[in-house]
Amino acid sequence: MALVNPHGGGPLKALLLQGDALKAEQARAKSLPQLKVSSREAGDIIMLGIGGFTPLDGFMTKADWQGVCDGMKMANGLFWPIPVTLSTDDEAVKAGSDVALADSQTGEILATMRVSEKYAIDKAHECMQVYKTTDAAHPGVKMVMDQGKYNLAGPIKVLSTGDFKEKYGDQFMTPAETRAKFEQMGWKRIAAFQTRNPMHRSHEYLAKIAIETMDGVLVHSLLGNLKPGDIPADVRSEAIATLVDNYFAPNTVIQAGYPLDMRYAGPREALLHALFRQNYGCSHLIVGRDHAGVGDYYGPFDAQHIFDEIPKGSLETVNMNIDWTFWCNKCGGMASQRTCPHTKDDRILLSGTKVRSMLSEGQDLPVEFSRPEVAAVLKKYYQGLTAEQNVKVELKGHSAA
Amino acid sequence: MALVNPHGGGPLKALLLQGDALKAEQARAKSLPQLKVSSREAGDIIMLGIGGFTPLDGFMTKADWQGVCDGMKMANGLFWPIPVTLSTDDEAVKAGSDVALADSQTGEILATMRVSEKYAIDKAHECMQVYKTTDAAHPGVKMVMDQGKYNLAGPIKVLSTGDFKEKYGDQFMTPAETRAKFEQMGWKRIAAFQTRNPMHRSHEYLAKIAIETMDGVLVHSLLGNLKPGDIPADVRSEAIATLVDNYFAPNTVIQAGYPLDMRYAGPREALLHALFRQNYGCSHLIVGRDHAGVGDYYGPFDAQHIFDEIPKGSLETVNMNIDWTFWCNKCGGMASQRTCPHTKDDRILLSGTKVRSMLSEGQDLPVEFSRPEVAAVLKKYYQGLTAEQNVKVELKGHSAA
């Protein structure tokens, strides 16, 4: 038995140039017309660069876009659940031309692209198909609606992975790196645990269920732009490392991150999460309640059910479904709605707002909710914030899950 | 998705006759020469009768025996890990004759058999191949060594399932019955939990890990002859039912039993356990530490590893491996050696002997070891035993696991 194959069954396809080829293309890029790319597009470029979107070689054509929207299938038949597209309002860019793609926030040129096709899309159609709604209050829908008038398709050459390596250090692992690490550890069955927050006991329990029956867990954090209220990556990372050091057996957890923006597409995004975890070498993706969802747009288990609806063989990486988890006093242990027959009154449940206010005020969290060592890391962070920062955090909120 | 197929891919093959065919064969059986069968053979006959050994149609030929011993493969290529054979010392029985097979304990005729072949085996070879030892202190080896001089092969017609239905009631479910129940519950992914003892928290934890990620668990007890020190089936069943009622969510556990004798063949028996659980409709078999082992004949994880060594596709039912489980004070919860980084000093561990003596003396078990409701059922049983019975229990011992 070996690791799961990269998506599509071939080798990893990392579009980041190296060495002389990189230098030459960087020089050429300076002379090309520049397009500014959005945060989501920049994340996609970096993901293409490190091979996380294997076997794509650039942004999707109209036929790909249509197939992915309507049937989760590219023109060549490859399974793909969410369009990976680049947009512009620039009337000057023509098919056949080369452009440089620059990060709109930093100005850095991330890639060059040979434009093979310029096409308009029915944005509402994409939103209905992928997000099941055209409500502009949905952050993923808003991203699509805010796109330029045209999509540009074509192969890209990636020149940079931005500042991820600098900002996140060893945590920014490429699919080739996680695969090498898994092989070094002798792991074959690996569950990816998707998170962008510190891990409380409910998350520890999810990860441990996976470890009980598999070789290990990849705690895989969403890196990238933070929103006010999010715990900064270094604090989150320290909190998770503290948990792992104190409460997990050695060599059962690897902590790493990936550069994408959340689309909040719920079920379709759960499939994308499984797809790129396959590229990272994970055999399973932990799919909890309302995975990658936002608001009430998706049923709590839609992201689990969709794995049963896609054609067999679409992905090698499979879902490991878990219900909502908590400490139950009557169970005298961690449990989920699948395993606990008791009622809410017996369960230790705290909202994200409550957790934050307790930590900000220097209170201890219940040990059934959060490990004291983890709470201490978070308490230190919240207490270090100014009153003004704490109010901002309060206003924007953040999920404890 | 549907339930796993019966072994071999065809329909269930239950050799128990029904209605007029049964009456006619029962009448004919009385006129046939009778052979007494051992407890192990009687269990195999009943298992063949209810379809648990699908697709066998009787006892194995020499070619089957040889193939199963040497390569876990019958003459027709079908995967089978342990010989299913019938033996006799009777010189008069000839190939081509019909015999009646009677339970040596009750005298009841369980089946008729058309003898297709009479052959001698190298018992030591079977023991080395299947049990990895010829030590007569091994109870499975002893069963083989105690066999008659000849094996008899041939198809059987089963006339009775003995007194299992009478003694165990609804718990004695046939493969057709468990499959119908699973379909009625809408279950597809079902883990079988093999036990012949009451369930303490360590066993509850194993079952709950399965329930967290699957549709349900079949708590599948070994029924049949009890040894001194074993908890009687009604007490065990009451203890398990009490646990399920109080600590499992509704519709996640089914309790049933099967009629085989243990062979204690460790790894090979784990494969047999998976094989017949496939016939019962279970997609997974929980394989813990030293599954179906005895003494120190097998490494603690040999029964897990062997599933990786058999040819792919040998079985549809797969192993769900779990390490030794316990309550850990530092974890503040149930854990296993896979998930707990702490030491023995932090773990609540009680030997079977200790548990028994505490219960006999009316002491409470730690709530971290056993649910109070379960301990109460066991305490009632042990306290009801006479001093003499308790001494016997003490001498023979029983595993708490």
Side-chain angles (χ1 to χ4, degrees), chain B residues 56-170:
Chain B
L56 300 191
D57 53 18
F59 287 99
M60 291 185 179
T61 65
K62 179 147 197 188
D64 290 335
W65 174 85
Q66 191 82 53
V68 167
C69 285
D70 296 352
M72 296 196 268
K73 226 160 66 172
M74 292 179 58
N76 66 4
L78 184 76
F79 174 81
W80 205 279
I82 295 187
V84 177
T85 55
L86 182 81
S87 80
T88 185
D89 282 323
D90 195 327
E91 302 285 350
V93 186
K94 302 280 178 239
S97 65
D98 283 12
V99 291
L101 304 177
D103 189 310
S104 57
Q105 294 181 304
T106 65
E108 187 188 11
I109 297 179
L110 296 175
T112 62
M113 181 183 190
R114 161 69 49 100
V115 181
S116 66
E117 188 184 355
K118 184 175 184 180
Y119 61 97
I121 58 163
D122 179 345
K123 291 178 181 175
H125 181 71
E126 175 170 338
C127 291
M128 275 313 293
Q129 291 297 112
V130 175
Y131 297 93
K132 307 273 182 207
T133 175
T134 54
D135 185 351
H138 184 300
V141 167
K142 184 171 185 312
M143 282 196 286
V144 174
M145 291 304 187
D146 287 349
Q147 284 174 199
K149 272 185 274 187
Y150 309 107
N151 278 3
L152 300 179
I156 67 170
K157 292 175 179 169
V158 178
L159 308 181
S160 169
T161 54
D163 55 2
F164 280 98
K165 197 78 205 173
E166 187 190 318
K167 269 164 89 174
Y168 302 106
D170 289 346

Side-chain angles (χ1 to χ4, degrees), chain A residues 205 212 214 336 338-339 371, chain B residues 205 212 214 336 338-339:
Chain A
Y205 179 58
E212 289 295 4
M214 302 190 203
S336 81
R338 296 253 332 125
T339 48
R371 299 296 188 181
Chain B
Y205 179 59
E212 289 295 7
M214 301 190 203
S336 80
R338 297 255 330 125
T339 48

Side-chain angles (χ1 to χ4, degrees), chain A residues 1 189 201 204-205 207-216 244-252 308 319-323 325 327 330-342 371, chain B residues 1 189 201 204-205 207-216 244-252 308 319-323 325 327 330-342 371:
Chain A
M1 221 176 91
R189 302 180 75 231
R201 284 198 68 177
E204 176 190 330
Y205 179 58
K208 285 189 167 176
I209 290 170
I211 292 170
E212 289 295 4
T213 59
M214 302 190 203
D215 297 320
V244 170
D245 288 347
N246 286 283
Y247 295 98
F248 284 78
N251 302 319
T252 59
D308 296 329
N319 51 316
M320 173 181 153
N321 297 338
I322 308 210
D323 205 319
T325 55
W327 174 278
K330 280 205 181 140
C331 288
M334 298 303 300
S336 81
Q337 300 211 114
R338 296 253 332 125
T339 48
C340 167
H342 309 118
R371 299 296 188 181
Chain B
M1 219 176 89
R189 301 180 76 234
R201 284 198 69 177
E204 176 189 331
Y205 179 59
K208 285 187 167 176
I209 290 169
I211 292 170
E212 289 295 7
T213 59
M214 301 190 203
D215 297 320
V244 170
D245 288 348
N246 285 284
Y247 294 99
F248 283 78
N251 301 319
T252 58
D308 296 331
N319 51 317
M320 172 181 155
N321 297 339
I322 307 207
D323 205 320
T325 56
W327 174 278
K330 278 204 181 140
C331 287
M334 298 304 298
S336 80
Q337 298 211 115
R338 297 255 330 125
T339 48
C340 168
H342 310 116
R371 299 297 188 181

Side-chain angles (χ1 to χ4, degrees), chain A residues 124-135:
Chain A
H125 181 71
E126 175 170 337
C127 292
M128 275 312 295
Q129 292 296 111
V130 176
Y131 298 92
K132 307 274 181 204
T133 175
T134 54
D135 185 352

